[in-house]
Amino acid sequence: MDFRLMGLDSPLLSTIHHMMDMSDDNADAKNINAPTRTYVRDAKAMAATPADVKEYPQSYVFVIDMPGLKSGDIKVQVEDDNVLIISGERKRDEEKEGAKYLRMERRVGKFMRKFVLPENANTDAISAVCQDGVLTVTVQKLPPPEPKKPKTIEINVSNRLIKMSSDKNKKAADSPENGDSTNQWFFELSDYLKLNDDDDDQWPDDDNVPPPLPEAEPLFFPNTNEVGDFGASGSGSNHLQGSSNAREVSGSEKKDVRERVAFKTKSEVEIIDDGYRWRKYGKKMVKNSPNPRNYYRCTVDGCRVKKRVERDREDPTYFSSAKCFLLELVCEFCGKKNIDFKKFQPKNTNITLPNSRKVEEGLDAISPEMKKEEPSPIFSNDRKIKLKKKRQKRREEAKSNIKR
DNA sequence: CGTGTTTGACCAGCGC
DNA sequence: GCGCTGGTCAAACACG
């Protein structure tokens, strides 16, 4: 099949959540890569619209939460022949005379999801049903194409005959290694190249374009057993609490411009997998709280996102967290190419991550400002090497002491 | 042995 | 200047 499998913790979703965590104020950031307001709004809409996607023998089914929306408020469209766009908007209830909001937590605004449909999706046979705030969109599959017959093309190059064939089975039998002396060679696109072809839309090369987040998502099919482990579809649902608290640190060059975002997460585990690779680097008891506060940083080289987490003192079923982003930096994990995603595979999970990529251009995909920054000293490769050397030295010292 | 966590020490910022 | 607090460092420790 042509589309890739992506787990619920895919970098795309992480990016969406990252974007969701950032306030609209970011639109004013000096960073030339800063996303536009519309872009952020769409990203938020996508992040806040959980969807399940199921594959049946004859169809694909998209199940999307659209709470409080009537069928007339929901739009289902197909763009560019293969992009399914599901959107809707919940407007704020009109305030009746004498009534005022004491609390307004229910989401108002745009709901949206985009999916790139696989080639065998029949865009002429799409149906949608909305019941109890849940929209079910069914896209029928096209019948499988008849298997292509072997095709042979003869090309005359420099007076030598080169034969290309799409029949893989003939390859071994006819290959020159098998003693055929007629200079016959067979070419076919490797899976790697095919993958890269498809990826171009999702992983743009241009550094100046924003991460690919509000674009249509390649269709992904989380393993059903894992659904509910992450994000809005399970116990780990995030509750954004209040607005982000941007903190600008001026002064010496070494100080960073940061964006801090506080939120609450209802979860039994302290660290839910949000796409970052958290590593604890500190723990502290805090004033007026029986619970310790833990400090984490993302251990991806060059990524300087940190967060602190403590169990909510009032409701221990929640964790209060604050993520700290460095505004002028872009986490290389967030939507940038050439990351070996397998290294982000969280432990003790079976979540499938997208196909790994070769890490070649790495930092080249990151903003110029980021290149100037030294990687986080603690867990960067430098630090690892330093630690290794130190340990080696200690061992050698111990050995020499034994000799004495 | 490599990797991640714990924990005491240290530092900077802030209010008094 | 002093004490308090939050944040970070890094050696020691634990674990697979």
Side-chain angles (χ1 to χ4, degrees), chain A residues 142-195:
Chain A
L142 291 166
E146 284 183 19
K148 287 180 184 169
K149 289 174 188 168
K151 185 171 68 180
T152 303
I153 303 160
E154 291 188 350
I155 307 169
N156 196 353
V157 180
S158 303
N159 299 322
R160 294 166 72 189
L161 190 67
I162 296 178
K163 204 175 218 179
M164 298 176 75
S165 172
S166 57
D167 183 357
K168 289 183 186 179
N169 298 330
K170 282 182 72 181
K171 185 178 174 181
D174 293 347
S175 68
E177 287 83 358
N178 282 350
D180 190 332
S181 58
T182 56
N183 288 327
Q184 290 183 352
W185 297 84
F186 298 92
F187 299 89
E188 59 190 50
L189 270 181
S190 70
D191 288 341
Y192 177 76
L193 284 172
K194 282 179 195 164
L195 175 74

Side-chain angles (χ1 to χ4, degrees), chain A residues 258 278-283 294-298 305-308 378-379:
Chain A
R258 292 164 187 230
W278 297 118
R279 177 165 174 168
K280 190 186 272 187
Y281 67 89
K283 184 180 177 182
N294 294 315
Y295 297 89
Y296 295 85
R297 58 158 48 99
C298 180
V305 180
K306 290 175 186 172
K307 76 170 174 180
R308 58 177 214 209
I378 263 208
F379 300 115

Side-chain angles (χ1 to χ4, degrees), chain A residues 342-361:
Chain A
K342 281 189 178 158
K343 71 181 179 186
F344 299 109
Q345 176 86 35
K347 281 188 175 176
N348 307 320
T349 67
N350 297 315
I351 294 170
T352 309
L353 290 167
N355 295 304
S356 64
R357 286 165 175 280
K358 301 220 167 127
V359 182
E360 284 169 0
E361 294 157 64

Side-chain angles (χ1 to χ4, degrees), chain A residues 330-378:
Chain A
V330 179
C331 174
E332 70 198 74
F333 185 63
C334 298
K336 289 295 186 185
K337 58 186 176 179
N338 302 318
I339 297 292
D340 184 353
F341 290 111
K342 281 189 178 158
K343 71 181 179 186
F344 299 109
Q345 176 86 35
K347 281 188 175 176
N348 307 320
T349 67
N350 297 315
I351 294 170
T352 309
L353 290 167
N355 295 304
S356 64
R357 286 165 175 280
K358 301 220 167 127
V359 182
E360 284 169 0
E361 294 157 64
L363 286 171
D364 287 343
I366 299 161
S367 66
E369 285 83 357
M370 185 153 181
K371 281 193 230 173
K372 284 183 216 158
E373 298 283 343
E374 288 296 318
S376 178
I378 263 208

Side-chain angles (χ1 to χ4, degrees), chain A residues 81-205:
Chain A
D81 287 337
N82 70 337
V83 180
L84 177 69
I85 303 174
I86 298 156
S87 61
E89 190 164 359
R90 185 175 163 257
K91 297 198 173 84
R92 188 177 165 168
D93 295 336
E94 283 175 21
E95 285 182 32
K96 286 176 186 164
E97 221 174 286
K100 61 179 178 183
Y101 278 101
L102 296 176
R103 185 182 281 252
M104 191 166 69
E105 294 179 347
R106 292 168 63 230
R107 217 174 83 75
V108 290
K110 208 172 170 184
F111 292 78
M112 183 173 76
R113 286 306 282 262
K114 291 183 184 181
F115 299 95
V116 175
L117 296 170
E119 277 177 15
N120 67 342
N122 185 355
T123 52
D124 293 327
I126 299 178
S127 59
V129 179
C130 187
Q131 198 176 11
D132 301 330
V134 179
L135 177 72
T136 306
V137 179
T138 307
V139 181
Q140 298 297 331
K141 286 184 182 175
L142 291 166
E146 284 183 19
K148 287 180 184 169
K149 289 174 188 168
K151 185 171 68 180
T152 303
I153 303 160
E154 291 188 350
I155 307 169
N156 196 353
V157 180
S158 303
N159 299 322
R160 294 166 72 189
L161 190 67
I162 296 178
K163 204 175 218 179
M164 298 176 75
S165 172
S166 57
D167 183 357
K168 289 183 186 179
N169 298 330
K170 282 182 72 181
K171 185 178 174 181
D174 293 347
S175 68
E177 287 83 358
N178 282 350
D180 190 332
S181 58
T182 56
N183 288 327
Q184 290 183 352
W185 297 84
F186 298 92
F187 299 89
E188 59 190 50
L189 270 181
S190 70
D191 288 341
Y192 177 76
L193 284 172
K194 282 179 195 164
L195 175 74
N196 277 357
D197 261 5
D198 293 341
D199 284 345
D200 281 345
D201 290 338
Q202 203 203 339
W203 303 96
D205 282 321

